[in-house]
Amino acid sequence: MAHDRRTVIMEAAARLIARRGVRGLRIEELAAEAGVSNGLIYYHFKDRAGVLRATLEFINNRAERYTAEHVAAEHLTDPRAVLEQTLLLEFQDTAEVRENSTAWGELRASAMFDALLRAELAEATRVWDGEVAGLIAAVLPAAPASLALEAAQRLTALLEGLSGRWLSEGLTLDRARTLILGAIDAELSRLGRA
């Protein structure tokens, strides 16, 4: 039961951050959104900073889950197809992906002013870049690991920028997907020549 309530609180926190930003997240509003008491939030997360750290982890885990589920459901085994789908799945017109991407963007923006959040986000970004670098290495096993990581960093940074433009309607969903596929192709071509 405690795990279920914790999940409900995390889902509510992701929704609120996506709607109002990190600065707009108040424990009282979170409690109301989640349908729990303020005390239960403090019990699970200690303070607002704990809520933010846990929400960042929740968003990352949710993205990993919907990516892994899709890759498994599609029975993808080709390394390039797995790489492409892993990045393309960040451009799904679903409430969950929109919320995740928006909340991630809000957390990233707030990290510029919050050292604790900055450290947590830097670690999450390092892990994500490493995962994408691993996918690139599966496509091009002979590529130097340092160059695969550089390519991963460029791709994840581009993905974040494209996601922001898509979510703010500066790009269509199809255009964002086309651009990320073109970037994957360019990065793999560059690495293949290295």
Side-chain angles (χ1 to χ4, degrees):
M1 183 61 124
H3 176 72
D4 292 339
R5 291 226 174 147
R6 185 178 168 88
T7 300
V8 167
I9 294 167
M10 289 294 81
E11 290 169 345
R15 272 193 311 277
L16 285 174
I17 291 170
R19 270 190 302 214
R20 295 191 182 144
V22 171
R23 291 180 188 232
L25 180 67
R26 304 284 178 261
I27 296 297
E28 299 77 24
E29 292 175 358
L30 175 57
E33 180 81 14
V36 301
S37 69
N38 292 359
L40 188 62
I41 292 173
Y42 288 115
Y43 171 78
H44 282 293
F45 306 103
K46 192 174 181 180
D47 55 19
R48 184 175 180 275
V51 170
L52 292 176
R53 284 191 303 276
T55 303
L56 178 61
E57 183 180 345
F58 173 79
I59 289 168
N60 283 333
N61 290 341
R62 188 162 64 173
E64 287 176 13
R65 180 188 45 77
Y66 62 65
T67 301
E69 287 174 358
H70 182 81
V71 168
E74 295 292 318
H75 305 292
L76 297 177
T77 55
D78 174 61
R80 182 169 179 146
V82 173
L83 170 64
E84 289 175 350
Q85 282 305 300
T86 297
L87 297 181
L88 286 172
L89 287 169
E90 293 302 318
F91 299 108
Q92 297 180 73
D93 198 7
T94 66
E96 184 176 56
V97 172
R98 281 180 168 275
E99 183 179 280
N100 245 35
S101 295
T102 303
W104 175 267
E106 291 292 334
L107 287 161
R108 177 162 306 285
S110 290
M112 292 178 206
F113 306 101
D114 181 332
L116 182 60
L117 190 54
R118 188 177 317 128
E120 297 282 337
L121 198 82
E123 178 59 18
T125 300
R126 186 191 66 71
V127 169
W128 188 31
D129 289 344
E131 290 170 355
V132 174
L135 294 172
I136 291 169
V139 177
L140 296 170
S146 62
L147 295 181
L149 180 59
E150 287 177 14
Q153 289 169 329
R154 284 189 292 272
L155 287 172
T156 59
L158 176 64
L159 188 143
E160 286 183 18
L162 292 174
S163 180
R165 288 188 181 189
W166 161 58
L167 291 166
S168 63
E169 297 183 2
L171 284 175
T172 65
L173 180 62
D174 288 340
R175 184 67 180 146
R177 293 175 129 241
T178 298
L179 290 170
I180 200 70
L181 285 173
I184 292 168
D185 189 51
E187 291 294 343
L188 292 178
S189 292
R190 178 188 310 195
L191 276 174
R193 293 189 304 268

